Amino acid sequence: MRSSSEGNRPVLNKMESMYKHPKTGATIMKRLIPLIAVCGVVGVIVMMLITGSASSSEPPKTATVGATTPTSTGEVASAEEKGWCMSCQNAPSRTWSWWFGWGGCSCYAGWSGSCCDVPALDYGECVTYNDKFEFTLTHSVMPGIPFHKDLVTEPASNAWAIDALGQGLAPVIVNMLYIDLDEMPPQYVLDSLDQIKEATKDNSYWSLAWESFQLLYEIFTDDRYVEYEMAQNLYACKGIAAEFAADSTGLTAISKMAECYEEEMIALEENYPNPHQYKPSLPEYNSFWRLIDSEESIMFAMVESTADVVPTGWMKDDIMFGWLRRVGSNPDMLKKASAADIGTNFAVTDAMYQNAMEDSTGTLTEAISDGRLFIMDFAILGDGLLNNNGKSLFAPKALFAVPKDQSYATDGLRTIAIQQFQTPSTEYPLISAPDPLRRDWSDATLTTAEKDALVTWCMAKTSVQVAESTYFEVITHFGRTHMVMEPFMIATDIALHATHPIQKLLKPHFAGTDHINQGAVDSLIAAGGTISKIFPPPIEVVQGVAIIGAKAFLDDINNQFFDVAFRNRGTWDLPAEYPFRDDGKLVWNNILTFVNEYVNIAYSSDSKMRADPWLKCWWDMLVSPNTGTLKNVGDAGNGALYTRSYLSKLITLVIWTASGQHAATNFPQKDVGAHVTMNPTSAWSTGLTAGVDCASAADDVACFQPWFDMLPPLHEALDQLNTEYLLGSVHYNRLGMYEQDYATGHFSGAYRQAEIKFQAALATMGEEITNRNAAVGTMRGDVFNYEIMMPANVPNSINI
């Protein structure tokens, strides 16, 4: 606690009045202690509990697996009553002897004969099924999408929790601490964060706790911190330890810590009239990213220096804006434009095209003919939303073009025009790109009209970023990766024996997905959750849009394959650097090669595949309108499976979605999504460009006030920073590294050899991506490395 004689000594240079806490000490301590110290203490407790529980063994319960689904009246009917092939529930079960341990398998009559009559099974392995496995089509949050109910947890989730705590929470906490102190963390703190991340590799709460305490001790024995009283803040999150110990996944701990953090942020109101309305200056906003990126990073394209008071970089050129369409969290929305996209409701002219492209003779017709014109259209967001509790959402259209002369690789996709809503109006007209040669804010010859145009253009680009934030988080990310995994997870767990080759292949790609999906339903996209706080739409709208995104995927499976999806969008041959497409193609092809070999080991012919009763159960569950709901699926799109080749493509789609596709949408959150000034999740004004009037502004800051008004208040800015940084930081498990998760050996024989070849191919792929990122004269080589698809950065499953 500061003494009274020190009361007037500033601790902050720019935000001092907000963070002083004369009554109870620094607010930073309230956020630091609950999130690191308690985490370390309970880590020790949890580890002891985990160790103790793992040492005891109980005989398995009798296998009484049941698959249930609501009938048309909402009542639950058993699988047998519906006449499915689910008599396979009477699968082999292990027998137990106190004297001899695990015994042999017992086989029961099943679908079309014996359930044990399955190709390529290791008959020495048996399985104990869950007592009961239920799923529902009428989940309270996700109606219409098959969603797990009480899906059985797995021990591996403990390692996931450690990764989340070590990789994600520790940097967030330290970042908050040093934002409060308005200084860069000393080198020993940065080194300690690296050690904490390294400590997560052995999946030990002991290591994580030890490294966290080491850092805590060093920070609080530093002379700068002796003035603070620590003990009273240890009780802010009491009760976490008990709940952490009861939850082996660690989700409860993380959730409770988030609640605690939120409570302490609210406590700021004791010292500042209304922190929910306080907006930092641009330098203050940019100071938030000390630990996320250096000032030299392209992510600071909004400003030339963190000391700048206006976003000069954001207006000077659109390189970063165009680049994010191909490497950001929503990299697969861009599509080729046609003449039908230009018209009354989006009246882009040749003059606008010529101005943006610096091409006095070019035309839109020519660009369309050359395949160089592209569009992003957020029509799915309807009419948008203005001022929902202060937050606004736009439904924009944005037009882009690749220059004829592509000698400058870093100028691969220029922005021509943006319209904030689907239909133009007096308040929200079509906005054309300013003259590229008249964007130097320091140029004394700029007219006020030109300055107005630059500010308006910044607002237009921010409108797109806001819309993309909602679209990506709800549709591209949650709907089209997390949610679409559910039908495959359910069918695989219910219909396939644990030793079935397809079960063994798919199961690792579902690791942790049940936990993170349930966590999302319970907190992230629930009423009062993070999404409702920092995103514009009401939570019921968010949930509905997520369902639309997921159903569009499940209803059109054959158009989701990697090359098909790009060709449908017209971006397979986009004549510019496109790292998501180019690196993603490598990941997809390597998965497909591995899966093809694997499936051909399991089934020596198409006829043997079709004769597999267990696989038929699995397929029937996927295509049934009462369960998996998949449509436009199968070799001919008619819901029938004929060939091993198609089975391989479908399994590749599942693995790609769980690995590369999810990585491409999730991990940019750390660098892009967390950068509030460039990528706010909500506009905190209506974004009305008519309010731009530099002629009447007292200075540059006042001129940019309409744009600043779109940025979030401090409280919500930190919520966005912490949430997206954490979600984009955790890399638990790794594509193709099945042995990493199954120390006793997941695959054997020919399957193991196929796995080894897969791992070698991924290593070669990593070298190729490294070379691409080092290529001189390219955007990724000279400005912005794209490392999302590096094998080390692509998890096996959706677990964050």
Side-chain angles (χ1 to χ4, degrees):
M1 182 80 71
R2 298 183 191 182
S3 64
S4 57
S5 61
E6 296 178 310
N8 295 322
R9 184 174 63 81
V11 175
L12 306 178
N13 294 329
K14 299 180 180 65
M15 292 186 282
E16 179 181 8
S17 64
M18 181 171 51
Y19 284 100
K20 282 183 180 178
H21 204 309
K23 294 182 180 179
T24 60
T27 303
I28 52 177
M29 297 301 96
K30 285 192 173 184
R31 282 179 276 155
L32 180 67
I33 298 302
L35 295 178
I36 284 188
V38 179
C39 169
V41 173
V42 299
V44 175
I45 299 172
V46 171
M47 199 59 201
M48 289 188 288
L49 289 173
I50 293 172
T51 304
S53 61
S55 63
S56 62
S57 300
E58 296 181 0
K61 299 175 182 179
T62 304
T64 57
V65 176
T68 60
T69 186
T71 63
S72 58
T73 60
E75 298 176 353
V76 173
S78 72
E80 289 180 338
E81 289 172 355
K82 294 190 73 66
W84 296 342
C85 62
M86 291 310 300
S87 54
C88 279
Q89 63 182 298
N90 296 318
S93 61
R94 287 183 290 187
T95 56
W96 173 263
S97 165
W98 286 108
W99 295 104
F100 300 103
W102 293 114
C105 291
S106 300
C107 245
Y108 300 93
W111 183 89
S112 186
S114 172
C115 276
C116 283
D117 187 19
V118 182
L121 288 186
D122 179 354
Y123 295 105
E125 289 189 70
C126 308
V127 65
T128 302
Y129 276 76
N130 311 329
D131 282 344
K132 195 167 187 181
F133 191 116
E134 295 182 351
F135 70 98
T136 176
L137 294 177
T138 56
H139 192 283
S140 59
V141 177
M142 293 296 150
I145 301 293
F147 206 87
H148 73 272
K149 178 181 179 183
D150 301 326
L151 203 58
V152 175
T153 59
E154 302 228 3
S157 60
N158 293 318
W160 171 86
I162 294 170
D163 270 2
L165 293 167
Q167 293 185 41
L169 281 179
V172 165
I173 295 161
V174 174
N175 199 22
M176 287 191 295
L177 170 64
Y178 285 95
I179 285 172
D180 286 347
L181 295 173
D182 196 33
E183 63 180 51
M184 283 291 291
Q187 189 60 45
Y188 77 83
V189 172
L190 300 178
D191 293 341
S192 293
L193 290 175
D194 290 337
Q195 292 166 7
I196 288 174
K197 184 173 182 179
E198 188 69 21
T200 66
K201 291 184 178 180
D202 66 0
N203 294 335
S204 166
Y205 281 109
W206 290 106
S207 299
L208 180 61
W210 173 252
E211 295 296 341
S212 298
F213 274 125
Q214 291 255 89
L215 175 58
L216 192 67
Y217 175 79
E218 290 188 49
I219 288 176
F220 285 102
T221 53
D222 189 302
D223 288 342
R224 289 168 298 177
Y225 298 92
V226 295
E227 59 188 315
Y228 296 117
E229 184 175 314
M230 297 167 49
Q232 61 187 351
N233 300 313
L234 288 172
Y235 301 101
C237 287
K238 62 183 178 180
I240 289 182
E243 296 202 47
F244 197 159
D247 175 13
S248 64
T249 70
L251 280 175
T252 300
I254 294 174
S255 176
K256 290 296 179 183
M257 289 179 191
E259 290 176 12
C260 176
Y261 159 70
E262 182 69 16
E263 291 171 3
E264 296 311 311
M265 286 297 291
I266 292 174
L268 284 173
E269 296 177 8
E270 298 176 8
N271 310 295
Y272 192 83
N274 196 337
H276 288 273
Q277 293 181 3
Y278 175 78
K279 290 195 177 184
S281 65
L282 188 59
E284 288 171 337
Y285 273 120
N286 281 299
S287 73
F288 295 167
W289 287 273
R290 292 185 236 271
L291 295 182
I292 294 179
D293 238 325
S294 66
E295 289 188 21
E296 292 76 23
S297 167
I298 191 64
M299 302 316 298
F300 279 88
M302 291 287 290
V303 289
E304 293 183 328
S305 165
T306 52
D308 282 354
V309 295
V310 296
T312 54
W314 194 230
M315 71 180 75
K316 261 190 176 179
D317 58 56
D318 298 331
I319 291 176
M320 188 63 190
F321 189 68
W323 186 242
L324 288 178
R325 311 288 71 86
R326 295 163 283 159
V327 300
S329 289
N330 198 39
D332 56 358
M333 187 180 182
L334 193 71
K335 68 176 184 178
K336 188 174 289 185
S338 68
D341 293 312
I342 313 297
T344 304
N345 285 332
F346 195 43
V348 182
T349 65
D350 285 342
M352 294 177 182
Y353 172 86
Q354 292 164 1
N355 177 64
M357 305 301 288
E358 299 178 88
D359 179 2
S360 60
T361 62
T363 66
L364 291 167
T365 301
E366 178 188 53
I368 292 171
S369 177
D370 292 346
R372 294 185 292 105
L373 198 68
F374 299 87
I375 190 171
M376 288 182 70
D377 190 343
F378 293 88
I380 193 173
L381 300 181
D383 296 328
L385 187 69
L386 292 177
N387 197 20
N388 176 39
N389 293 322
K391 298 173 292 184
S392 294
L393 173 68
F394 310 94
K397 298 177 182 179
L399 194 67
F400 306 86
V402 176
K404 275 191 211 176
D405 177 7
Q406 298 173 50
S407 58
Y408 299 99
T410 56
D411 194 19
L413 195 68
R414 291 198 185 186
T415 314
I416 300 170
I418 294 171
Q419 192 169 278
Q420 291 171 286
F421 291 96
Q422 292 293 297
T423 303
S425 64
T426 303
E427 294 83 4
Y428 297 98
L430 173 66
I431 301 169
S432 61
D435 185 343
L437 301 179
R438 301 292 291 168
R439 296 191 181 190
D440 187 351
W441 193 256
S442 63
D443 186 348
T445 67
L446 283 183
T447 66
T448 55
E450 288 174 324
K451 288 191 172 185
D452 287 350
L454 292 177
V455 177
T456 300
W457 189 237
C458 284
M459 295 177 69
K461 289 193 288 186
T462 298
S463 298
V464 173
Q465 294 298 111
V466 168
E468 188 176 62
S469 291
T470 293
Y471 186 96
F472 125 73
E473 194 71 74
V474 178
I475 298 175
T476 310
H477 181 204
F478 186 66
R480 295 177 65 86
T481 62
H482 286 255
M483 287 180 67
V484 298
M485 283 294 102
E486 294 280 351
F488 296 100
M489 291 167 58
I490 292 168
T492 300
D493 273 344
I494 292 180
L496 296 178
H497 186 283
T499 57
H500 192 285
I502 304 305
Q503 160 81 292
K504 287 179 73 80
L505 173 59
L506 285 176
K507 191 71 171 179
H509 296 287
F510 301 145
T513 307
D514 50 353
H515 302 304
I516 200 65
N517 282 10
Q518 192 63 57
V521 169
D522 291 342
S523 58
L524 196 65
I525 59 171
T530 303
I531 296 298
S532 67
K533 293 175 183 175
I534 65 175
F535 285 83
I539 197 61
E540 60 272 14
V541 174
V542 168
Q543 294 164 1
V545 172
I547 291 170
I548 291 172
K551 287 297 290 179
F553 184 108
L554 297 175
D555 288 349
D556 196 19
I557 291 295
N558 283 354
N559 280 316
Q560 308 307 323
F561 300 127
F562 188 83
D563 60 329
V564 176
F566 273 94
R567 293 183 196 283
N568 288 343
R569 291 192 296 269
T571 51
W572 185 249
D573 298 313
L574 188 151
E577 279 187 82
Y578 200 167
F580 168 64
R581 175 196 61 194
D582 301 335
D583 293 359
K585 187 190 304 182
L586 295 178
V587 178
W588 173 275
N589 287 341
N590 279 315
I591 295 172
L592 181 59
T593 299
F594 165 59
V595 174
N596 261 321
E597 182 173 357
Y598 187 102
V599 168
N600 286 334
I601 294 170
Y603 305 105
S604 58
S605 68
D606 291 344
S607 60
K608 287 191 175 181
M609 178 202 72
R610 292 193 297 268
D612 179 355
W614 291 55
L615 189 69
K616 185 179 188 305
C617 290
W618 179 76
W619 182 266
D620 286 348
M621 287 198 70
L622 288 176
V623 301
S624 169
N626 297 314
T627 51
T629 74
L630 271 57
K631 297 177 183 175
N632 187 23
V633 63
D635 298 75
N638 60 358
L641 174 63
Y642 299 110
T643 65
R644 291 171 295 166
S645 174
Y646 185 85
L647 176 63
S648 296
K649 285 202 324 186
L650 182 65
I651 292 174
T652 297
L653 176 62
V654 174
I655 296 176
W656 158 255
T657 303
S659 57
Q661 180 69 34
H662 179 259
T665 67
N666 183 76
F667 294 113
Q669 287 182 98
K670 176 184 175 183
D671 293 323
V672 179
H675 201 288
V676 176
T677 44
M678 185 178 62
N679 201 74
T681 53
S682 294
W684 290 81
S685 76
T686 58
L688 194 63
T689 56
V692 176
D693 183 10
C694 290
S696 302
D699 53 27
D700 288 349
V701 174
C703 182
F704 265 90
Q705 194 60 49
W707 175 78
F708 279 116
D709 288 343
M710 297 178 76
L711 300 183
L714 175 71
H715 187 283
E716 286 72 18
L718 288 177
D719 272 345
Q720 177 180 335
L721 168 67
N722 295 336
T723 299
E724 301 222 14
Y725 183 88
L726 172 61
L727 293 177
S729 297
V730 181
H731 290 77
Y732 169 64
N733 69 38
R734 180 173 165 182
L735 178 62
M737 297 299 177
Y738 301 94
E739 301 304 311
Q740 193 176 65
D741 295 329
Y742 298 84
T744 57
H746 187 59
F747 294 126
S748 60
Y751 296 117
R752 172 60 176 154
Q753 295 308 308
E755 176 194 11
I756 292 172
K757 288 169 62 177
F758 182 36
Q759 293 169 349
L762 290 174
T764 300
M765 181 191 80
E767 295 173 2
E768 184 170 349
I769 293 175
T770 297
N771 292 335
R772 289 176 177 180
N773 282 330
V776 177
T778 65
M779 181 71 177
R780 65 192 296 169
D782 294 347
V783 182
F784 188 106
N785 283 176
Y786 185 71
E787 299 180 340
I788 298 297
M789 294 296 173
M790 290 289 289
N793 295 334
V794 180
N796 241 352
S797 61
I798 299 172
N799 47 65
I800 186 64

